[in-house]
Amino acid sequence: MGTGNQTTRLVIQLGDGGSPETFAHTCGANTFGVTLTNNLGENTVLDCDNPLDVPAAIVRHLESQDTSVTITGMVTTAAWPTWRGWADDGSEKNIKILLDESAANNGGFWTLPALLQQLELGKENSGKVTFTATISGAGQRAWTDAT
């Protein structure tokens, strides 16, 4: 187990589209996942001095980057209109992936435009309604260090 400084301060916030834009946590959300993907391309390169006897090497390079986010939790009546509207209109929305730590603890956040890829609602027996949202980046993510 790691003994270094650890954090519990990760949250995904949705932008309201205003100017200046305000970002807010979805009430009821309690699980957050973030995947940062580097999509690689590759070329096979022959050895120029001995191309027939030395195996070719694969040289890889970065072609693109992607960001995906999942949010799960309980559906609150206050948050429902935001999610329903986003699912129905399919619009682009800015999101903030916040590591809410001080600058000394390497905190900060990514912001990026995103699309709601999937919204799943669920309920078991007489329990509360839950949701799982899958959000895909729609452009470049930008990191801002905590101040």
Side-chain angles (χ1 to χ4, degrees):
M1 181 168 144
T3 58
N5 190 19
Q6 298 173 1
T7 186
T8 59
R9 313 240 347 130
L10 173 68
V11 70
I12 312 300
Q13 298 176 325
L14 304 181
D16 66 359
S19 183
E21 188 154 32
T22 302
F23 291 87
H25 166 70
T26 296
C27 184
N30 59 17
T31 304
F32 307 97
V34 178
T35 303
L36 308 176
T37 303
N38 288 326
N39 298 305
L40 305 178
E42 64 181 44
N43 299 95
T44 302
V45 179
L46 294 173
D47 181 286
C48 290
D49 295 330
N50 197 354
L52 299 177
D53 294 324
V54 176
I58 294 176
V59 177
R60 291 186 173 87
H61 56 276
L62 180 65
E63 285 192 344
S64 62
Q65 293 183 315
D66 193 17
T67 306
S68 61
V69 171
T70 56
I71 302 174
T72 62
M74 305 302 280
V75 174
T76 63
T77 57
W80 176 239
T82 298
W83 288 100
R84 180 185 41 76
W86 199 11
D88 288 347
D89 71 21
S91 64
E92 191 174 281
K93 182 182 286 289
N94 290 324
I95 64 169
K96 182 185 284 188
I97 304 168
L98 176 63
L99 184 59
D100 189 26
E101 292 284 354
S102 67
N105 284 328
N106 301 307
F109 58 89
W110 283 286
T111 52
L112 66 146
L115 295 168
L116 180 61
Q117 182 176 344
Q118 182 176 351
L119 180 63
E120 180 181 338
L121 302 174
K123 179 180 168 307
E124 188 174 326
N125 297 322
S126 61
K128 304 289 185 184
V129 177
T130 61
F131 79 99
T132 299
T134 303
I135 300 168
S136 293
Q140 187 66 41
R141 63 181 179 256
W143 176 260
T144 302
D145 288 324
T147 53

